[in-house]
Amino acid sequence: LEFRRVLFRSTIPVFLTLEEAILMLETLKSKILRTAPAFFAMFLFWPSVSRAGDDPLRKSLVKIFSTLQNPNYYEPWRVGPQENVSGSGCVILGNRILTNAHVVSNSIFIQVLKDGDSKKYTARREFVAHDCDLAILRVEDPGFFRGTRPVKFGGLPSLKDKVEVYGYPVGGEELSITEGGISRIEVINYSHSMRNLLGIQTNAAINPGNSGGPVFNHKKMVGVAFQGYNGAVAQNTGYIVPVQLIQRFLAQIRKGGYSPVPTLGLYAESMENDSLRSYYGMKSSQTGLLVSKVTYGSSSWGTIKENDVLLALDGYPLSNDGTIRPRKGMQLNFTYPLCLHRIGDKMTLKVLRDKKVLKLFVTLKDDARLVPFIQYDRDPTYFIMDGLVFTPLNANYFQTTKEMPPNFMPLYFNGLPSADQKQIVLMSHILSHEINKGYGSKYANLVVEKVNRVQDRKSV
């Protein structure tokens, strides 16, 4: 009776009495029951374009199941435990699957599941670009691709453009679609490779499991979701690998290989200070960056000199704060043009040297570091002699030990290679044995400087 009163107050004209309303409902109830089979049949087969299952983009979506086994860089003869992770991906032309590199890095077994299916197919990695966090998977069984649809690529979106993120994040098994806008386009740090490359920021929700999933604007793919901030750090902040880097990756693998985004290998500081500009003879119309250091063996080594003022890069004039403007309304870090090149390309630079403007050319090379960033899909190298363990120092070592020894911090952040020192070799620890008794843990994490009293770092 209470339910009927509520319904009466909501839908029955006020001039009816309660008893009349109840009688009307009883009559309506009997009619509904007599027509229920036909009613529900009509409902089930009624066409609706708004249902999620009718979204043609779903035919491009893939869920990825990856079993990883990370190497142990502290005890390099061991391997870590197996871990199961999941991510997202999409079908592209050529019966391939595009996803993030970090979804399948150090993987030993990969399976894929297309949207709406229940059968998992075995996949293998075909190409991986760790620097821009992209990977291509291949499924040998052609049955996997029946009913799928490769994505169509769009262009670089603009600020405030609306995007949709497709993927399989935590919190459920079915496809998730989140919407948001483009809030920022800039050169950002990629957590997988620690490289600074072009990235897109969005306020669309991107959570663990979204990694590798396509991001659409007007039904065309404009990027791949790949990382986001912890909610305690920033809210509604996710990042997308832009389509420019994806197309660069695909263009290279069509030729059978991939080379990472090159670097210039120089350190520079702003020229916003008027006294500094005057000291280096800059005119009021000139803007640029002061080169403070050139890395040995890098792209700039032997061509660019310390105290050069970098005025233009690849035809883009540099501002005094180190930015360029590749298109109207966009301001990016001066390293952006490198994202469009590959190793071996020639790049044109304009510099001010001794108050004279010079046009120079550099051959682009890979990143040159004394202590390499994180490396994937490769086993660590090591040497054991009398229980003393020797291994190169890299970011993987810090990751495995979970702590960076204080004496290594300057080497990692500020160490530069030189003609006689291209890497750091550690005596990481000692395996206790009769032959090395008395050495103990105090000899762990030491940098090797001489071998047999000879300092020959070229051979290290």
Side-chain angles (χ1 to χ4, degrees):
L1 184 61
E2 183 60 33
F3 166 75
R4 290 169 176 166
R5 286 173 179 163
V6 172
L7 185 61
F8 168 77
R9 289 196 297 267
S10 302
T11 62
I12 304 299
V14 294
F15 53 82
L16 291 180
T17 65
L18 180 60
E19 287 74 21
E20 289 172 331
I22 291 174
L23 179 61
M24 180 183 292
L25 288 172
E26 292 294 344
T27 304
L28 181 61
K29 175 182 175 183
S30 63
K31 289 182 178 180
I32 290 175
L33 290 176
R34 284 197 301 270
T35 59
F39 175 82
F40 285 112
M42 179 182 68
F43 175 80
L44 289 175
F45 294 100
W46 192 272
S48 173
V49 295
S50 62
R51 289 169 58 186
D54 294 331
D55 184 353
L57 297 179
R58 295 182 66 132
K59 295 181 180 180
S60 307
L61 268 291
V62 178
K63 186 172 184 179
I64 300 170
F65 303 86
S66 182
T67 302
L68 314 179
Q69 193 163 38
N70 296 316
N72 186 327
Y73 274 72
Y74 183 71
E75 294 182 332
W77 54 91
R78 301 180 185 270
V79 293
Q82 292 187 7
E83 304 175 39
N84 295 316
V85 301
S86 67
S88 307
C90 63
V91 177
I92 62 173
L93 285 174
N95 284 353
R96 288 169 165 167
I97 298 169
L98 176 68
T99 186
N100 279 148
H102 75 257
V103 174
V104 294
S105 296
N106 298 325
S107 61
I108 58 175
F109 185 60
I110 303 171
Q111 289 183 299
V112 293
L113 178 70
K114 59 185 176 183
D115 186 70
D117 201 357
S118 58
K119 179 182 177 181
K120 296 178 182 177
Y121 291 76
T122 301
R124 62 176 176 84
R125 293 182 312 176
E126 189 175 27
F127 296 99
V128 181
H130 289 294
D131 59 329
C132 55
D133 202 355
L134 295 171
I136 292 292
L137 305 183
R138 174 77 77 175
V139 180
E140 299 299 339
D141 190 336
F144 174 81
F145 293 98
R146 293 194 189 103
T148 63
R149 179 181 297 180
V151 296
K152 295 181 180 179
F153 293 105
L156 184 68
S158 301
L159 294 180
K160 296 184 179 181
D161 279 358
K162 298 299 181 183
V163 293
E164 297 173 327
V165 179
Y166 282 61
Y168 301 88
V170 294
E173 299 297 325
E174 296 299 316
L175 176 67
S176 168
I177 305 172
T178 58
E179 297 180 345
I182 300 301
S183 50
R184 191 177 289 164
I185 301 175
E186 63 181 351
V187 174
I188 65 171
N189 184 261
Y190 281 45
S191 61
H192 179 69
S193 63
M194 302 305 295
R195 293 289 305 276
N196 294 319
L197 304 173
L198 183 67
I200 301 174
Q201 181 182 320
T202 177
N203 57 12
I206 294 179
N207 294 298
N210 270 123
S211 293
V215 180
F216 295 102
N217 172 245
H218 299 303
K219 307 299 181 181
K220 291 187 177 180
M221 182 172 157
V222 296
V224 168
F226 78 110
Q227 69 185 36
Y229 275 115
N230 183 298
V233 178
Q235 300 290 330
N236 301 323
T237 305
Y239 292 96
I240 303 165
V241 181
V243 69
Q244 278 80 354
L245 288 176
I246 296 171
Q247 291 175 330
R248 176 188 179 276
F249 174 48
L250 297 179
Q252 288 195 43
I253 66 174
R254 280 195 290 269
K255 299 179 180 179
Y258 176 76
S259 62
V261 175
T263 65
L264 282 176
L266 54 81
Y267 293 79
E269 59 181 278
S270 70
M271 294 293 285
E272 297 174 283
N273 185 278
D274 291 336
S275 297
L276 188 64
R277 289 168 48 79
S278 175
Y279 179 82
Y280 284 96
M282 294 183 69
K283 300 177 181 178
S284 58
S285 60
Q286 292 176 325
T287 57
L289 290 175
L290 177 64
V291 177
S292 57
K293 192 73 176 178
V294 179
T295 305
Y296 173 82
S298 68
S299 305
S300 300
W301 181 257
T303 302
I304 306 300
K305 297 182 179 181
E306 293 182 13
N307 296 321
D308 281 351
V309 178
L310 188 59
L311 302 176
L313 181 67
D314 231 17
Y316 294 107
L318 271 66
S319 299
N320 288 324
D321 62 354
T323 59
I324 61 173
R325 290 170 173 79
R327 74 183 192 190
K328 186 177 180 180
M330 180 179 291
Q331 189 170 344
L332 300 175
N333 184 275
F334 78 99
T335 58
Y336 161 71
L338 293 164
C339 298
L340 308 178
H341 284 280
R342 60 185 301 173
I343 292 173
D345 287 352
K346 296 285 187 179
M347 179 173 273
T348 305
L349 291 81
K350 187 165 71 172
V351 303
L352 181 67
R353 179 183 296 171
D354 298 328
K355 302 181 180 181
K356 295 180 180 180
V357 176
L358 303 176
K359 185 177 181 180
L360 304 174
F361 300 91
V362 296
T363 301
L364 296 176
K365 300 180 181 180
D366 197 0
D367 192 29
R369 285 183 55 85
L370 183 63
V371 180
F373 287 134
I374 293 285
Q375 302 171 71
Y376 302 94
D377 303 321
R378 63 177 66 180
D379 294 326
T381 58
Y382 64 99
F383 176 73
I384 301 177
M385 179 178 179
D386 296 335
L388 279 63
V389 182
F390 299 91
T391 186
L393 178 63
N394 51 41
N396 298 70
Y397 184 81
F398 303 136
Q399 188 181 55
T400 303
T401 57
K402 306 299 183 184
E403 184 178 351
M404 183 185 295
N407 57 313
F408 293 160
M409 293 181 69
L411 292 174
Y412 179 75
F413 291 107
N414 302 315
L416 295 174
S418 62
D420 62 350
Q421 187 176 35
K422 299 180 180 65
Q423 68 173 349
I424 300 293
V425 174
L426 300 179
M427 187 174 77
S428 60
H429 58 291
I430 298 172
L431 305 176
S432 297
H433 189 273
E434 175 70 21
I435 198 170
N436 58 45
K437 63 181 180 182
Y439 279 52
S441 60
K442 64 181 179 179
Y443 292 103
N445 288 326
L446 298 180
V447 175
V448 177
E449 295 186 351
K450 296 180 181 180
V451 177
N452 291 335
R453 300 181 180 179
V454 176
Q455 186 174 357
D456 184 5
R457 291 176 175 173
K458 293 182 180 180
S459 63
V460 173

